[in-house]
C-alpha cells in the first residue's frame, strides 16, 4: 500500500489490512502523521498533534492485533474535535478562554473510542465554542477546505471534515448542535452522522446548548460511521440524558435492501433558498435510491422557516447559561491585575470570548431575562414543539426524509463573516433536526463546479440503523464518496 492509499483508505479496509498484518498500526499512524506534517500548514485542520502518544497507542494496538484480541477499530487512527475533553491533552474549544485548559479526564466518547482500540492522533480545529458554520472564528486561525483552499470547510466541526477529506485520518469526531457535523461533511465531501439526542453521552463535551448538542462520527464511508457509532453509543451513568436503550448492531444491518422503503421529500427543503445546482444533485441522488427500490413521497414540514428563529433563541439562551462558568474565577482566562470583582469578570470575559460567542451570550441573556422570557424563550419552546410534531406527522407517511444538507457548496473565506444572519442560514436544513432530537446523516452526492455537496437523510428517533442502511446502499451504487481533492486544486 502506498502512503496515499493508506491514508485515503476507509477504516474498514484498514482494519482488514491490520488483521492480515499487511500493515501495522505503527506504520499506519506514522503515515497519517507524515501527511499531517506535510499538508496541515495549508489546511490548518489539526491544532494539536499527539505524535508521541499516538505511536505508543499504535504499538499497544499492534500487540492486541498479534494476540488476536483486536476489535474492528483496533489500530485505526482518529482525530477528536477540540470540544471533547482529552486527559492530559489541551482542550480549548478553539477559544482564548480555554487556551490553558488541560482536562484531567476523557469525555465518554473519547474513552469509549480509546477502549475500542483507536489511536488518537490529536485534536481538530472548530468554530469557537462550536458556534458557527465556517470554522473561521477559531483563535487558531481559519481552517481551509481541501477542495479549494480559498473556501471554508463549513463548521463548526470544519477541522474534522477537512482532516478526513484531506486524507489526514479515516475517522474524526464532531458535535452537532444545529448542523455542525452534517454541514461541514457536505461542504468537504465526507460522511457525517448526527445521532438521535441521547444516543451518545455528552459527558466531557464542552457544553454549547445542552438540549441540542450531540456527538457523532465523521468518516469517508457509511460503513465506517456505523463502526464508530457502535463504539460511541450507549447509556452513560455520567449523563442523565443519555438513553438507556439497547444499541442495535449498526454494521450488521447495513446490507439489508431498501426496496419498499418510503423516502419523504419535504417541499420546504427545495425552496428558492436552495442553489439550483445542489437541488439537481439531490434529485439525481434520489433517482439512484429509486432504482434500488425506494419510493418517493411528498411530505410537508410547514415550520421549517421558523426553525432558524427558534434555534437562534434556544441555542443562545442555553449557551449563555452554559458559558456563565467561564468567569476567570472558577474557569477560564483571567485578565491581568483586575481593579475590582466587576472589572475582573468584565475584562476576563471580554478578552477570553470572541465576537460571535459574545453575541450569542447577549442574545441568550436577553431572551431569558424576566421581562422577555415569555415573548422569546417560552415562545421558542412552543414553536420547537410544533417543529417536532411536523416530523412526527411526516413519519406517518415515510420511513426517512431526504433533502440537501446545506443550501449551497462551500463559499469563499470571509464571504459571510460580517453577516451573521447569512451565516445562520447555512443551517436552515439541519437545525430543525436538532430541535426535534432526530438523527441526520450527510453523505457525498457529487460535485458542483468541483465542490462537494451532501445529501441529507433524516430518520425517526433512535432509528440511525435505517439512515445507515440507506446511506450504505447509496454508497454501494455510487462512487461520490471516493472522490478526493487534489489539495487546493481539481478533484481526482
Ligand atoms: N451553525 C450553528 C450555530 O452556529 C450550529 C453550530 C453547531 O451545530 N454546533 O449555532
Amino acid at each position: 500500500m502506498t502512503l496515499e492509499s493508506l491514508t485515503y483508505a476507509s477504516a474498514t479496509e484498514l482494519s482488514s489490512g491490520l488483521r492480515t498484518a499487511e500493515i501495522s498500526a505503527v506504520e499506519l499512524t506514522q503515515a497519517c502523521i507524515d501527511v499531517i506534517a506535510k499538508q496541515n500548514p495549508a489546511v490548518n485542520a489539526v491544532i494539536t498533534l499527539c505524535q508521541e502518544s499516538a505511536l505508543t497507542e499504535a504499538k499497544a494496538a499492534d500487540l492486541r492485533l498479534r494476540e488476536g484480541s483486536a476489535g474492528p477499530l483496533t489500530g485505526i487512527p482518529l482525530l477528536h474535535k477540540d470540544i471533547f475533553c482529552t486527559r492530559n491533552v489541551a482542550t480549548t474549544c478553539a477559544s482564548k478562554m480555554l487556551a490553558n485548559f488541560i482536562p484531567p479526564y476523557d469525555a465518554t466518547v473519547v474513552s469509549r473510542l480509546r477502549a475500542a482500540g483507536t489511536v488518537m492522533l490529536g485534536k481538530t480545529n472548530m468554530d469557537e465554542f462550536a458556534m458557527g458554520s465556517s470554522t473561521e472564528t477559531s483563535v487558531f486561525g481559519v481552517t481551509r477546505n481541501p477542495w479549494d483552499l480559498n473556501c471554508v470547510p463549513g463548521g463548526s466541526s470544519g477541522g474534522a471534515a477537512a482532516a478526513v477529506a484531506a486524507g489526514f485520518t479515516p475517522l474524526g469526531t464532531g458535535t452537532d448542535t444545529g448542523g455542525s457535523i452534517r454541514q461541514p461533511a457536505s461542504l468537504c465531501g465526507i460522511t457525517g452522522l448526527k445521532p438521535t439526542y441521547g444516543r451518545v453521552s455528552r459527558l466531557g463535551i464542552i457544553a454549547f446548548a445542552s438540549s441540542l448538542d450531540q456527538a457523532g462520527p465523521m468518516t469517508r464511508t457509511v460503513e465506517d460511521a456505523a463502526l464508530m457509532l457502535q463504539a460511541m453509543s450507549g447509556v452513560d451513568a455520567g449523563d442523565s440524558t443519555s438513553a438507556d436503550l439497547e444499541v442495535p448492531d449498526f454494521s450488521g444491518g447495513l446490507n439489508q435492501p431498501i426496496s419498499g422503503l418510503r423516502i419523504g421529500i419535504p417541499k420546504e427543503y427545495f425552496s428558492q433558498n436552495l442553489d439550483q445546482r445542489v437541488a439537481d444533485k439531490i434529485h439525481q441522488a434520489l433517482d439512484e435510491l429509486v432504482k434500488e427500490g425506494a419510493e418517493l413521497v411528498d411530505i410537508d414540514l410547514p415550520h421549517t422557516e421558523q426553525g432558524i428563529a427558534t434555534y437562534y433563541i434556544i441555542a443562545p439562551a442555553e449557551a449563555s447559561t452554559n458559558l456563565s462558568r467561564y468567569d476567570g474565577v472558577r474557569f477560564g482566562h483571567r485578565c491581568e491585575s483586575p481593579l475590582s470583582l466587576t472589572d475582573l469578570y468584565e475584562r476576563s470575559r471580554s478578552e477570553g470570548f470572541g465576537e460571535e460567542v459574545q453575541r450569542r451570550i447577549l442574545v441568550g441573556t436577553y431572551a431569558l431575562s424576566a421581562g422577555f422570557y415569555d415573548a422569546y424563550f417560552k415562545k421558542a419552546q412552543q414553536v420547537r414543539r410544533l417543529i417536532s410534531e411536523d416530523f412526527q406527522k411526516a413519519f406517518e407517511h415515510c420511513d426517512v426524509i431526504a433533502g440537501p444538507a446545506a443550501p449551497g457548496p462551500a463559499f469563499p473565506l470571509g464571504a459571510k463573516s460580517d453577516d451573521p444572519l447569512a451565516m445562520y442560514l447555512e443551517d436552515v436544513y439541519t437545525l430543525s433536526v436538532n430541535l426535534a432530537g432526530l438523527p441526520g446523516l450527510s453523505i457525498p452526492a457529487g460535485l458542483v463546479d468541483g465542490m462537494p455537496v451532501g445529501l441529507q437523510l433524516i430518520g425517526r428517533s433512535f432509528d440511525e440503523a435505517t439512515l445507515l442502511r440507506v446511506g450504505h446502499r447509496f454508497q454501494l451504487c455510487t462512487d461520490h464518496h471516493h472522490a478526493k481533492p487534489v489539495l487546493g486544486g481539481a478533484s481526482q
Side-chain angles (χ1 to χ4, degrees), residues 327-329 335 340-350:
D327 56 6
V329 178
C335 69
S340 64
L341 187 60
T342 309
D343 184 47
L344 167 79
Y345 288 149
E346 279 180 6
R347 279 203 290 125
S348 298
R349 285 168 72 80
S350 304

Side-chain angles (χ1 to χ4, degrees), residues 81 130-133 155-156 175-180 208 311-312 360 427:
K81 184 177 182 180
M131 298 170 186
S133 306
S156 64
T175 58
D176 190 313
T177 304
S180 279
F208 165 9
Y311 173 90
Y312 278 98
R360 305 280 178 119
D427 299 304

Side-chain angles (χ1 to χ4, degrees), residues 81 83 126-134 155-157 175-184 194 208-209 212-214 311-312 315-316 356 360 423-427 430-431 434:
K81 184 177 182 180
I83 197 169
M126 54 184 282
D127 280 300
E128 185 182 9
F129 280 99
M131 298 170 186
S133 306
S134 64
S156 64
S157 313
T175 58
D176 190 313
T177 304
S180 279
I181 289 178
R182 290 159 288 158
Q183 185 259 8
K194 180 203 99 70
F208 165 9
L212 301 162
D213 296 344
Q214 187 62 191
Y311 173 90
Y312 278 98
E356 181 61 25
R360 305 280 178 119
M423 193 71 92
Y424 297 172
L425 280 170
E426 272 297 296
D427 299 304
T430 47
L431 44 76
N434 300 67

Side-chain angles (χ1 to χ4, degrees), residues 300-303 381-397 401 432 435-438:
D300 281 326
L301 294 173
H303 296 93
Q381 296 286 29
Q382 288 165 337
V383 182
R384 180 177 190 173
R385 166 60 71 92
L386 295 177
I387 290 171
S388 265
E389 286 172 0
D390 281 356
F391 281 109
Q392 272 166 25
K393 282 185 205 134
F395 281 122
E396 286 168 14
H397 306 285
I401 294 172
S432 20
L435 290 166
L438 303 174

